Each structure stands twice: as C-alpha cells, then as structure tokens.
Amino acid sequence: MIRLGLNIDHVATLRQARYRHESDSAHAEPDPVPLALLAEKAGAKGITVHLREDRRHIQDHDVRRLRKQIKTVLNLEMAVTPAMVAYALKLKPEEACLVPENRQEITTEGGLDLLGSERRVANAVARLVKGGIVPSLFIDPDPGQIDAAARIGAPCIELHTGAYANARTAAAIRRELERQWAAAEQAHALGLQVNAGHGLHYRNLAPFIETVPHLHTLNIGHSIVARAVEVGMAAAVKEIVAILKAKAQVKAKARK
Ligand code: PXP
C-alpha cells in the first residue's frame, strides 16, 4: 500500500500565529508533537517537517522532540545548504528531502532545478547517504530533472504535484496526470524510489493514485491539518489512509 507521510508544519503555523516568541512554553498551542503521535496511531507511516531558514513554522525544539518521540520515520525537508546538511547529520532523520527554499514564498513553490546545481546537490546527497540518511530530491515531473536525479546518485525523488493540484480544467488535469505518469515510469526505470506531494487533498488523491504508478510515499500536509480542525487529527488521517487502502484493495483484486 502507498504510505502516507504527514507534513506537520501547518500545526506549527497555527501556533506561531499567536506564540511567535514563546513557542516552547507549556501553553503554546497547538503542539505539533502530540498531533504527530496521534497521526502515527491513525495510520501515518512517517512525519515530515520543513525546518525553514526563517523558522516561520517548525522550530528547532519541535524537530528535536519529534526525533525523540515519533515511532515511524522522520523526513526532514531541508534547503541544500552546508548548514542544513550539518544539521541533518547531527539530527539523523531516517530521510531528508532536499527542496528549494525562497524566503518570499508561502510554501515550497517549485521543484529543485538540478540542471543548474548538479554538483552542489550531488555533494549534499553523498554526505547524507554517508551519514545513514536516505535523501530524496523534490523535483518537477520533468524528464531532464529525473535524468539528473539519477546521475546525481539520489536513491529517491519526490515528484512535485503542485501543477496537478492547481489544474482546473479537465484537459489540464489530464495533461498533468500524464506528466506525472510519465515521470514516475521514467524514475522507476532508472531505479529511483518515487514519492510525491504538494497540494494533494481528499478530492484529487484518488485520480492521482489511480493514474500514477510506482508510488512509495505521498507527503501530504495542508489538507490533512485543515481537515483535522474540523474532525480531529486521527479522523483526518484515517480518511486519507482509507483512500490509499481502497486503491491497494483494487490492485490486490486485479492480481488474483
Ligand atoms: N512535499 C514537499 C516537498 C513540500 O514542500 C510540501 C509543502 O510543505 C509538501 C510535500 C506538502 O504539501 P501540502 O501541504 O500542500 O500537502
């Protein structure tokens, strides 16, 4: 079954809206850590955090406590900088997703441009692998980027699904699904693990997983955290896991 990685950043976004300077005090709520633990119990197979340079949501103390307390897999989203590579090597998350980082953006807006930064990214990937961390590269579903990811020696990519999520017409949605399909096929043929994420939600998830093959993990944040405000974190995670499970059951039946 495709695994769910819950991106917990937006729980911290809500906390920082009120407790910008005292996020580590006992009354600063909501606390992402117990909610991450709840999500694991409800079926999330990993917890993703993006420790941004400007610390706008997740804080260092969140990452430290998550590292100690979560039972599944910690995936650290990080910029490709020597400081963040050193941070990851010390923290030792199981996985690290290398992303572009731009101070002005509201969230990660595009994939890494590997064509302009192969050496720098290859160096970070090699250091992370040596440190026992599985790196993945957050890239657009573009053939040139996927070939570059393989050349760099990354074991894993995360396909940026933002263009699919933002597509509004039936034709645009079909076009984006075809790009994702082709990208996943290409990456799989090159021996890369295929993850995906950004903008996936309760309505666009089923068509995505029905079309795109070889998916290992989907990292989903905003839609689950938003739904958790309405129904609670455990129910919100269970609803997404049910969509993934339904797909796994259809596949298993087809194999019989
Ligand atoms: N994967 C990556 C690399 C991201 O940067 C983000 C956004 O933080 C996500 C997945 C999750 O996106 P969303 O919050 O839209 O589900």
Side-chain angles (χ1 to χ4, degrees):
M1 188 175 130
I2 301 167
R3 299 160 73 97
L4 169 66
L6 171 67
N7 188 319
I8 201 81
D9 295 348
H10 291 302
V11 174
T13 303
L14 183 56
R15 179 192 60 201
Q16 298 306 110
R18 175 58 56 94
Y19 296 106
R20 197 146 162 228
H21 301 297
E22 44 174 342
S23 64
D24 57 347
S25 79
H27 62 273
E29 60 194 6
D31 183 347
V33 179
L35 286 163
L37 300 179
L38 252 181
E40 286 185 315
K41 281 204 181 121
K45 299 294 185 204
I47 302 297
T48 295
V49 282
H50 187 174
L51 186 71
R52 281 181 167 271
E53 191 193 2
D54 62 9
R55 303 297 194 264
R56 72 173 69 155
H57 40 51
I58 287 291
Q59 306 294 306
D60 297 69
H61 65 82
D62 295 321
V63 180
R64 281 197 301 273
R65 288 181 303 135
L66 285 166
R67 174 62 300 179
K68 278 200 191 122
Q69 295 184 43
I70 66 169
K71 309 269 184 305
T72 57
V73 166
L74 180 63
N75 175 31
L76 179 71
E77 265 186 41
M78 50 178 271
V80 192
T81 62
M84 280 312 299
V85 171
Y87 184 99
L89 291 172
K90 213 164 151 204
L91 179 73
K92 294 218 172 288
E94 283 78 12
E95 298 170 5
C97 182
L98 304 184
V99 299
E101 205 171 284
N102 167 2
R103 268 178 186 258
Q104 312 313 325
E105 68 193 1
I106 293 174
T107 180
T108 316
E109 279 165 6
L112 284 169
D113 181 9
L114 298 178
L115 303 179
S117 57
E118 266 189 52
R119 269 187 56 187
R120 190 166 59 91
V121 177
N123 184 25
V125 162
R127 291 190 64 204
L128 291 166
V129 168
K130 206 167 160 208
I133 299 165
V134 178
S136 81
L137 304 179
F138 187 50
I139 54 175
D140 292 326
D142 175 275
Q145 298 294 336
I146 295 163
D147 279 340
R151 276 199 305 276
I152 281 170
C156 177
I157 57 163
E158 179 169 329
L159 291 171
H160 192 314
T161 51
Y164 163 63
N166 290 334
R168 290 292 169 261
T169 64
I173 292 169
R174 206 169 41 248
R175 194 169 56 242
E176 290 306 326
L177 282 174
E178 275 168 17
R179 283 180 74 209
Q180 294 282 340
W181 174 86
E185 288 288 7
Q186 180 188 349
H188 180 73
L190 289 166
L192 298 166
Q193 178 180 309
V194 182
N195 298 345
H198 200 92
L200 295 174
H201 55 60
Y202 295 83
R203 296 172 306 285
N204 67 16
L205 182 58
F208 184 76
I209 59 179
E210 276 155 21
T211 310
V212 182
H214 313 304
L215 293 168
H216 184 277
T217 299
L218 296 178
N219 289 309
I220 307 179
H222 185 269
S223 61
I224 294 178
V225 173
R227 182 80 180 134
V229 173
E230 296 176 40
V231 299
M233 182 58 86
V237 168
K238 281 180 187 165
E239 286 177 19
I240 284 278
V241 171
I243 298 171
L244 299 177
K245 217 176 242 168
K247 162 75 177 165
Q249 280 161 358
V250 171
K251 254 188 152 176
K253 263 195 195 151
R255 268 201 296 271
K256 275 186 191 162

